[in-house]
Amino acid sequence: MDIIKKDIDGGKAFDWGRTSENYAKYRDIYPQEFYEALVSRGLCVKGQSVLDLGTGTGVIPRNMYGFGAEWTGSDISENQIEQAKLLAEKGGMDIDFFASPAEDISFPSGTFDVVTACQCFWYFDYKKLVPKLYDMLKKDGRLAVMQMAWLPFDDDIARQSEELVLKYNPSWTGGGWTRRPVFIDDEVLKSFEIAERIEFDVNVHFTRESWNGRMKACRGVEASLSREDTEKWEREHIAMLNSTAPDEFDVLHYVAMAILKKK
């Protein structure tokens, strides 16, 4: 399903379903520190019911399943949800995944203790979604908005890979990340207030293959380029990595989270 937002990639259409297989294989990369940041604050743990918005291939629910919460995951892409279900079944996990735009989700009042949204919150229509989140969360529930981005101005491999994406997709706005807090729109702050911000650097380990796969599965490449241009990008990217990167390496990332509570 094509997604078009005028403030993202200059309004160029993208479809996560086109990259679901590579997303499932290469984008399950959040380190343990990421999940522990939530668990150490009593979020997404046993006894809680959690909804993961924009779940993609179910990375967050699957990796946090062992902490005991009951998980539900939704995503606009049916292909993403198909991969999420396959991976959860393979891991013996009982997670309820379903395909739906976040704005169309409906659950009874006070259903969830926590709602999570990782690498996706900026895609949503806040005016439609926020009142629903407010209603679906319990009185003392929490909304966790999270992101983890490579730092191209601090990491040469990330910078070179990002420059190559921009060569093929100049309108891509997914690059240029710096250390900055998660943006929370004023529309969200009408109903929620920020209880805590969490921010830290983390090195994420890759091989040439897995970093190529990670970059290919980003919005600026396989989700939006033609198959021909994706193949051209990949050939050039692999050649670049073979000439400039070791067999294995770390890429510096920045984790930023905002934990919000109901007003």
Side-chain angles (χ1 to χ4, degrees):
M1 178 177 181
D2 280 347
I3 299 172
I4 300 174
K5 294 198 72 174
K6 63 181 181 179
D7 58 340
I8 295 177
D9 300 347
K12 183 174 183 176
F14 59 94
D15 178 5
W16 290 117
R18 293 166 56 184
T19 192
S20 292
E21 290 187 12
N22 282 318
Y23 199 111
K25 187 174 181 179
Y26 294 113
R27 289 198 58 168
D28 191 346
I29 60 172
Y30 299 104
Q32 192 64 23
E33 301 99 301
F34 185 95
Y35 303 113
E36 289 175 353
L38 296 173
V39 173
S40 65
R41 290 162 172 83
L43 301 176
C44 309
V45 295
K46 188 175 181 179
Q48 294 181 343
S49 180
V50 188
L51 170 64
D52 186 44
L53 299 173
T55 196
T57 59
V59 172
I60 302 300
R62 289 187 290 104
N63 280 278
M64 299 199 73
Y65 188 79
F67 294 109
E70 294 183 1
W71 282 91
T72 300
S74 71
D75 196 275
I76 196 171
S77 170
E78 292 184 1
N79 289 349
Q80 293 280 76
I81 290 298
E82 180 181 350
Q83 290 293 326
K85 289 179 177 179
L86 288 171
L87 291 167
E89 182 179 1
K90 184 178 179 180
M93 302 176 190
D94 182 15
I95 302 173
D96 182 19
F97 288 113
F98 66 97
S100 172
E103 297 84 357
D104 293 346
I105 293 172
S106 180
F107 285 92
S109 298
T111 296
F112 297 105
D113 298 278
V114 183
V115 173
T116 56
C118 185
Q119 298 291 108
C120 63
F121 205 60
W122 47 74
Y123 296 128
F124 303 144
D125 184 331
Y126 303 129
K127 287 187 177 181
K128 293 181 179 179
L129 178 63
V130 170
K132 289 193 171 189
L133 296 183
Y134 190 91
D135 184 60
M136 289 187 293
L137 277 167
K138 296 178 181 178
K139 182 178 180 180
D140 59 348
R142 293 293 185 268
L143 168 62
V145 181
M146 306 168 285
Q147 63 195 41
M148 186 179 80
W150 62 76
L151 296 171
F153 303 110
D154 295 87
D155 190 287
D156 286 340
I157 293 176
R159 175 183 54 78
Q160 293 172 41
S161 296
E162 191 171 282
E163 289 173 351
L164 189 59
V165 176
L166 289 167
K167 174 183 174 180
Y168 283 85
N169 192 350
S171 62
W172 177 59
T173 56
W177 283 90
T178 58
R179 294 175 179 84
R180 60 180 185 264
V182 173
F183 172 73
I184 303 297
D185 191 89
D186 288 343
E187 191 67 34
V188 181
L189 295 175
K190 291 178 181 179
S191 301
F192 292 88
E193 60 184 358
I194 298 172
E196 184 179 5
R197 287 192 179 274
I198 307 161
E199 299 168 29
F200 55 91
D201 284 3
V202 64
N203 278 308
V204 182
H205 193 70
F206 293 93
T207 63
R208 289 175 185 162
E209 178 197 0
S210 64
W211 176 248
N212 176 71
R214 165 64 185 95
M215 291 301 301
K216 183 179 180 181
C218 81
R219 192 180 72 230
V221 183
E222 195 171 32
S224 57
L225 294 180
S226 68
R227 179 175 296 180
E228 181 182 6
D229 282 345
T230 297
E231 291 173 353
K232 289 179 180 178
W233 174 89
E234 185 167 30
R235 286 195 295 268
E236 194 168 342
H237 191 236
I238 290 173
M240 183 202 80
L241 292 176
N242 286 339
S243 64
T244 63
D247 293 340
E248 298 187 23
F249 50 88
D250 290 339
V251 174
L252 184 64
H253 285 66
Y254 189 65
V255 173
M257 303 179 176
I259 311 301
L260 298 98
K261 62 181 180 180
K262 298 169 70 170
K263 285 185 174 179

